């Protein structure tokens, strides 16, 4: 078969291996990419490519940014930053109807700013927020939905592992992608809070108001958020001012998190050991997926399928914005059955040339698809956040969790529509850096 047909067959085989054979996505991409490369060229060329890519990927200094940011989030998790952040937000928002759910979204946003993972944010905030909302008689639909949806902010608000991977794969500035994700992350947070407000207007019994707090109580709660603010400002401020590279920012953030946790006496050796252990597990999983994606990307490159697809799509007699909308729809559907990071790594080599060929800003597209694919974390059947929250919310049926997150999907649709209509929401902050 000709190379383009081989590329199409290889992509179909990859999806079949992931969905039907249940092969881990990193290994599936690596194996099929290697075999496809050998078929199109020859076995010797494929083994040479494999050796070269193994060295290039695992000796890449830029990839060290991933474990560093993950370590920063794990140190914050084991030192209890999430609990203090939640108490601080609750002091300000708890007395409003639905305020506990809004507090949960705000705490998710704050923890996302030092974590970078939606699954970690979901697990962390579930342990803190769900018992509190149950105590104040919140409806399980609202409580589980707000935790699962709020946790998706972990891949939108920088520092985000997904944005790091996109930057490395498309040769874009990670610092600019981080800055580009700030406004969409804030916008999505506000839309989630507006959703909660509307739900509690319609169903007042879903989110009873908590006890009132005085201004003095509110001010006394602020120290609970100091650690998050210090780490976030140091990382993002250093990147914005050009004091750090992304890798140096990750190291500085992890070091500052460890310093603060140790100085306050909240980091024992055992907790530090668990933080490092979890960092190694998560980092190794991501590295395998990245290597597999690189090998599969090399296979697609020699078939020229992405470039032919880009040329074909760019020549279609339909508005470019319609093409972008179709690509977003593909990402939403793909996110329902596939992990967001894996989906991006498989599809970026195909769609990125299409978008750039139509003249769209690659930075805008990178942030846009990050927002779109994060929707997949709360869509069945593989909405990972829903399963994490359901496992933590005892005696709450999965149907209630599904119903809860469905209310927040409208916020995602509004956010995506605004980003498509006003690209400046993404490009404004990076423009200052340029």
């Amino acid at each position: 078969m000709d190379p383009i047909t081989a590329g199409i067959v290889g992509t179909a085989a990859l999806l079949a291996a992931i969905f039907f054979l249940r092969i881990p996505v990193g290994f599936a991409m690596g194996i099929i990419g290697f075999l496809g490369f050998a078929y199109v060229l020859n076995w010797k060329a494929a083994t040479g490519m494999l050796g070269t890519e193994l060295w290039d990927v695992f000796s890449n200094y830029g990839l060290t940014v991933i474990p560093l940011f993950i370590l920063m989030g794990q140190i914050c998790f084991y030192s209890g930053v999430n609990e203090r952040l939640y108490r601080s937000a609750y002091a300000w928002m708890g007395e409003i109807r639905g305020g506990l759910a809004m507090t949960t979204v705000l705490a998710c946003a704050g923890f996302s700013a030092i974590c970078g993972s939606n699954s970690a944010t979901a697990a962390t905030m579930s342990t803190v927020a769900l018992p509190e909302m149950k105590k104040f008689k919140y409806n399980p639909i609202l409580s589980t939905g707000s935790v699962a949806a709020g946790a998706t902010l972990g891949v939108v608000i920088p520092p985000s592992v997904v944005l790091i991977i996109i930057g490395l794969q498309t040769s874009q500035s990670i610092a600019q992608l981080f800055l580009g994700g700030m406004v969409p992350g804030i916008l999505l947070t506000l839309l989630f809070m507006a959703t909660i407000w509307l739900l509690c207007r319609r169903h007042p019994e879903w989110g009873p108001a908590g006890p009132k707090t005085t201004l003095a109580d509110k001010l006394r709660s602020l120290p609970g958020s100091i650690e998050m603010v210090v780490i976030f400002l140091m990382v993002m401020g250093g990147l914005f001012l050009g004091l750090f590279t992304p890798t140096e920012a990750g190291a500085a953030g992890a070091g500052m998190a460890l310093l603060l946790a140790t100085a306050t006496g909240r980091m024992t050796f055992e907790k530090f050991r668990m933080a490092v252990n979890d960092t190694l597990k998560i980092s190794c999983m991501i590295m395998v997926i990245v290597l597999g994606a690189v090998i599969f990307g090399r296979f697609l490159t020699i078939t020229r399928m992405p470039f032919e697809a880009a040329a074909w799509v760019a020549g279609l007699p339909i508005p470019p914005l319609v093409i972008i909308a179709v690509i977003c729809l593909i990402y939403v559907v793909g996110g329902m059955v596939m992990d967001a990071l894996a989906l991006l790594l498989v599809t970026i080599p195909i769609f990125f040339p299409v978008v750039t060929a139509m003249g769209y800003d690659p930075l805008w597209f990178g942030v846009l698809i990050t927002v779109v694919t994060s929707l997949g974390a709360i869509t069945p059947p593989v909405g990972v956040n829903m399963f994490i929250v359901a496992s933590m919310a005892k005696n709450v049926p999965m149907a209630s969790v599904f119903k809860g997150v469905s209310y927040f999907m409208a916020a995602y649709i509004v956010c995506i529509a605004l980003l498509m209509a006003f690209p400046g929401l993404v490009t404004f902050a990076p423009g200052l850096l340029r």
Side-chain angles (χ1 to χ4, degrees):
M1 67 182 79
D2 62 272
I4 295 178
T5 304
I8 297 172
V9 171
T11 303
L14 172 63
L15 296 176
I18 294 171
F19 298 141
F20 300 116
L21 300 181
R22 303 288 183 180
I23 299 176
V25 64
F27 292 106
M29 287 190 292
I31 292 169
I32 292 174
F34 174 78
L35 295 177
F37 199 98
Y39 176 82
V40 175
L41 294 181
N42 55 65
W43 190 263
K44 185 177 180 180
T47 54
M49 179 273 296
L50 180 62
T52 300
E53 296 304 337
L54 275 168
W55 170 255
D56 287 347
V57 169
F58 291 117
S59 65
N60 185 352
Y61 174 74
L63 279 180
T64 56
V65 69
I66 295 174
L68 288 171
F69 275 117
I70 293 173
L71 177 61
M72 180 179 70
Q74 292 299 320
I75 290 172
C76 291
F77 169 66
Y78 281 104
S79 62
V81 169
N82 55 313
E83 296 179 9
R84 296 188 293 280
L85 186 62
Y86 187 84
R87 286 196 296 267
S88 179
Y90 177 57
W92 289 84
M93 302 293 297
E95 62 190 59
I96 304 172
R97 191 178 298 278
L100 261 180
M102 295 182 190
T103 296
T104 298
V105 170
L106 285 175
C108 284
F111 190 69
S112 298
I114 53 176
C115 174
S117 166
N118 57 19
S119 56
T121 305
T124 300
M125 297 312 303
S126 292
T127 59
V128 180
L130 291 178
E132 289 294 316
M133 284 191 273
K134 184 177 181 180
K135 183 170 72 176
F136 284 95
K137 303 187 185 312
Y138 269 58
N139 190 296
I141 293 174
L142 178 61
S143 60
T144 56
S146 60
V147 173
T152 60
L153 297 169
V155 298
V156 180
I157 295 178
S160 162
V161 172
V162 171
L163 287 174
I164 291 171
I165 295 298
I166 290 176
L168 293 172
Q169 199 174 23
T170 60
S171 300
Q172 295 190 71
S173 165
I174 295 174
Q176 291 188 4
L177 282 168
F178 278 2
L179 290 172
M182 289 181 65
V183 173
I186 294 171
L187 176 61
L188 200 52
T189 301
L190 295 175
L191 288 171
F192 284 165
M193 294 176 67
T195 301
I196 294 168
W197 183 80
L198 290 172
L199 283 174
C200 289
R201 290 262 305 180
R202 185 175 180 183
H203 304 282
E205 72 282 2
W206 282 17
K212 290 186 178 296
T213 55
T214 65
L215 179 60
D217 292 332
K218 290 180 170 64
L219 294 176
R220 277 196 295 268
S221 72
L222 290 178
S225 61
I226 285 178
E227 291 157 293
M228 184 277 293
V229 173
V230 168
I231 295 171
F232 180 77
L233 289 179
M234 186 184 68
V235 171
M236 295 307 298
L239 285 171
F240 185 79
L241 297 174
L243 302 177
F244 301 143
T245 65
T247 302
E248 291 167 348
M256 179 59 74
L258 181 60
L259 179 64
L260 291 173
T262 305
T264 55
R266 299 187 179 99
M267 178 57 67
T268 63
F269 178 77
E270 180 60 21
K271 288 181 178 179
F272 179 70
R273 186 192 66 79
M274 291 190 291
V276 172
N277 187 52
D278 287 353
T279 299
L280 287 172
K281 288 180 180 178
I282 298 170
S283 299
C284 288
M285 175 194 70
I286 293 175
M287 293 297 183
V288 170
I289 294 176
V290 170
L291 176 63
V294 169
I295 294 172
F296 189 74
R298 293 292 178 268
F299 161 59
L300 290 181
T301 299
I302 63 167
T303 65
R304 293 199 56 80
M305 187 187 79
F307 309 106
E308 295 296 331
W312 177 73
V313 171
L316 289 176
I318 57 177
L321 195 60
V322 175
I323 297 174
I324 294 292
V326 172
I327 292 174
C328 288
L329 180 62
I330 291 171
Y331 274 110
V332 170
V333 174
M336 295 180 184
V337 294
M338 195 172 179
D339 176 73
L341 179 59
L343 175 65
L344 286 169
L345 287 170
V346 170
T347 55
I348 281 178
I350 298 173
F351 291 130
F352 191 73
V354 173
V355 174
T356 53
M358 293 189 297
Y360 282 100
D361 189 325
L363 176 69
W364 168 79
F365 180 68
V367 174
L368 176 68
I369 59 173
T370 299
V371 175
V372 173
T373 50
S374 65
L375 176 58
I378 55 171
T379 48
V382 191
V384 62
N385 280 18
M386 291 188 297
F387 290 103
I388 291 173
V389 172
S391 67
M392 306 292 288
K394 305 198 182 302
N395 302 321
V396 177
M398 180 63 75
S400 295
V401 182
F402 280 9
K403 186 176 181 179
V405 298
S406 67
Y407 290 109
F408 292 89
M409 291 181 186
Y412 260 107
I413 294 171
V414 172
C415 181
I416 292 167
L418 288 173
L419 295 183
M420 293 178 66
F422 305 102
L425 292 172
V426 174
T427 58
F428 171 73
L432 297 179
L433 181 64
R434 294 193 187 103

